[in-house]
Amino acid sequence: MNRNPLAVVLLSFLGLALTFIISSYSDVAAQKAPRNSSVPPPATVTRAKAKVPEAKPSLKISPNPDKPTEVAVGFYLINLGRINQSDETFDVSGYLSANWQDERLAFDPKVVGDTENHENPEKVWEPALTIVNSQSAAKKTAVSITAKPDGHVNYLELVNTTVSSELDLRKFPFDSQKAEVVLESLFFDDQTLVLHNDPKLTGYSKDSFVSLSEWQILDVNTTVTPQKFAPDGKNYSRYTFELKLKRNYQFYIFKVFIPLLLITLLSWATFWMDSNATFSTQMSVGMTSTLTAITFNFTVANALPRLSYLTMLDAYIFICYIFFFLSIVANVTVHLLLQDNKKPDLIYENIRRLRWIFPLAFVVLQGIVITLFLV
């Protein structure tokens, strides 16, 4: 049987094509098949370690760890509120200012685009100043911290608080007082922080509402002294703002001294009465004067603390009490002597003497009081 040569060639070519297709399919299936456990694991790939930048030093620590940071402090009074003499306290409002050098806050003004940079008080170091003679925690209504390009830092705080300050009332109401605002760092002793006074930041406003009607501001004075804190034995730098005040005494002259003097003179009116007048009338005058003086004393005492010493006003009132008592004693003595009818002419003569002895003795004793308390 004869074969056609062309058919043989086509069948051979077709066989080769099928063989190639079957071979290609086997390779693809072998690549997708799962690998058995005998296949060695791939080489371990190690992660490249990223370069960690060095941490910046905290801005909350002292700018000078090797030496004390010098802080210039000032207090500017803007309002002097109620002065409570019974509690020996007074209300103040003012600006607490401080400045120091912190090179870590220096910057390039060309980069920042400004000549000062406002810092977050919670993220930078500050001297933590507190008013140690405050009755309660001072209200920090506003705090501002700004840095200059050279690292010079300015701190400004608005303070409203009630402070305690010892009053010396011996010369009351002709007294002058020193009201103090005392500042210390809450955390840093003098090995870390030293305070200095800055006269440019210290003073008081000249506005009319600063001074109360009863007081006149004379001057301010500031001092910086070391103060030892007993519990830890460390010394802390203390800044004291001292406000010198003078009392306007005119109120007490017209409301207390002169009325009480007139009442005292009234008690001596019995020496000009007829000795034969009703004894009850003379006694009522003396008792009324005494009770009126006691009322005055209670009124004044309510405005003063419970003192362990006499003030000038106390001494003045006390002398008035003595003369009220002596005038009553003199009237009783005269009444008893006249009842006995013994030497009435001598009794009348002594009564006339009492008319000038009492005023003279009163002036002398009050002069001694003025000398002892005011001179």
Side-chain angles (χ1 to χ4, degrees):
M1 179 176 171
N2 294 330
R3 295 181 179 181
N4 188 346
L6 181 60
V8 174
V9 172
L10 291 175
L11 290 173
S12 299
F13 179 79
L14 182 60
L16 291 174
L18 290 173
T19 302
F20 177 78
I21 292 173
I22 293 172
S23 176
S24 299
Y25 178 77
S26 299
D27 292 339
V28 172
Q31 291 179 358
K32 293 184 178 181
R35 300 179 182 180
N36 55 31
S37 59
S38 62
V39 179
T44 304
V45 179
T46 58
R47 180 177 296 178
K49 294 182 179 180
K51 186 177 180 181
V52 180
E54 295 182 0
K56 295 183 179 180
S58 174
L59 295 178
K60 292 294 291 183
I61 65 175
S62 174
N64 301 302
D66 300 330
K67 63 178 181 178
T69 301
E70 296 186 359
V71 178
V73 182
F75 186 81
Y76 188 83
L77 181 71
I78 58 175
N79 189 20
L80 177 62
R82 179 180 58 93
I83 297 180
N84 191 327
Q85 297 176 116
S86 298
D87 297 335
E88 296 185 281
T89 61
F90 61 99
D91 301 334
V92 293
S93 298
Y95 291 112
L96 171 58
S97 304
N99 54 71
W100 62 92
Q101 193 70 24
D102 192 342
E103 301 296 340
R104 300 169 300 180
L105 300 180
F107 62 92
D108 187 351
K110 295 180 180 179
V111 176
V112 176
D114 200 349
T115 57
E116 66 178 19
N117 196 17
H118 292 272
E119 304 291 344
N120 187 343
E122 297 181 357
K123 295 184 179 181
V124 298
W125 182 89
E126 51 102 356
L129 296 174
T130 184
I131 301 177
V132 297
N133 64 329
S134 175
Q135 273 202 329
S136 58
K139 298 178 181 179
K140 295 185 177 183
T141 55
V143 176
S144 172
I145 298 180
T146 57
K148 297 294 184 180
D150 59 354
H152 187 79
V153 183
N154 294 319
Y155 175 95
L156 183 64
E157 175 185 339
L158 178 60
V159 177
N160 297 295
T161 187
T162 300
V163 296
S164 301
S165 186
E166 185 178 0
L167 304 179
D168 185 0
L169 298 169
R170 287 180 174 83
K171 297 182 180 180
F172 175 82
F174 303 98
D175 55 326
S176 298
Q177 301 297 335
K178 296 178 181 179
E180 295 181 345
V181 178
V182 183
L183 297 170
E184 284 184 10
S185 175
L186 186 60
F187 305 119
F188 308 111
D189 59 18
D190 60 359
Q191 299 300 313
T192 306
L193 180 146
V194 175
L195 300 179
H196 295 286
N197 174 49
D198 190 343
K200 297 179 182 179
L201 306 176
T202 304
Y204 65 94
S205 175
K206 307 295 183 180
D207 294 332
S208 59
F209 56 81
V210 173
S211 182
L212 299 178
S213 60
E214 190 177 348
W215 297 92
Q216 177 185 357
I217 299 177
L218 299 179
D219 196 9
V220 295
N221 186 34
T222 57
T223 56
V224 177
T225 57
Q227 183 70 22
K228 187 174 182 179
F229 186 57
D232 60 10
K234 296 180 180 180
N235 289 326
Y236 290 79
S237 191
R238 169 173 288 190
Y239 170 89
T240 303
F241 174 86
E242 185 181 83
L243 188 66
K244 296 182 179 179
L245 304 171
K246 183 179 180 181
R247 190 189 303 272
N248 295 323
Y249 54 81
Q250 290 82 0
F251 170 83
Y252 297 93
I253 291 292
F254 294 105
K255 300 295 184 179
V256 179
F257 281 90
I258 292 179
L260 197 55
L261 174 61
L262 296 177
I263 294 171
T264 305
L265 295 177
L266 178 63
S267 68
W268 302 337
T270 56
F271 300 140
W272 273 265
M273 291 182 179
D274 186 358
S275 302
N276 295 320
T278 306
F279 177 67
S280 60
T281 303
Q282 296 175 335
M283 291 299 297
S284 63
V285 172
M287 295 302 297
T288 301
S289 302
T290 304
L291 293 175
T292 305
I294 292 174
T295 302
F296 266 95
N297 191 25
F298 277 116
T299 303
V300 175
N302 289 333
L304 296 177
R306 304 300 183 261
L307 302 174
S308 60
Y309 54 84
L310 286 177
T311 67
M312 180 182 173
L313 183 59
D314 292 333
Y316 178 83
I317 295 176
F318 183 70
I319 290 176
C320 291
Y321 285 162
I322 292 176
F323 278 85
F324 294 150
F325 174 75
L326 292 178
S327 64
I328 293 174
V329 170
N331 288 322
V332 172
T333 303
V334 169
H335 178 73
L336 294 175
L337 292 175
L338 288 176
Q339 281 186 336
D340 294 339
N341 291 322
K342 294 180 179 179
K343 300 181 179 179
D345 295 336
L346 181 60
I347 295 174
Y348 294 145
E349 180 65 25
N350 290 330
I351 292 175
R352 286 190 292 269
R353 290 175 180 175
L354 292 177
R355 294 174 182 175
W356 59 268
I357 289 176
F358 265 67
L360 180 60
F362 181 82
V363 172
V364 171
L365 288 178
Q366 295 293 7
I368 294 174
V369 167
I370 294 174
T371 304
L372 292 176
F373 282 90
L374 299 184
V375 177

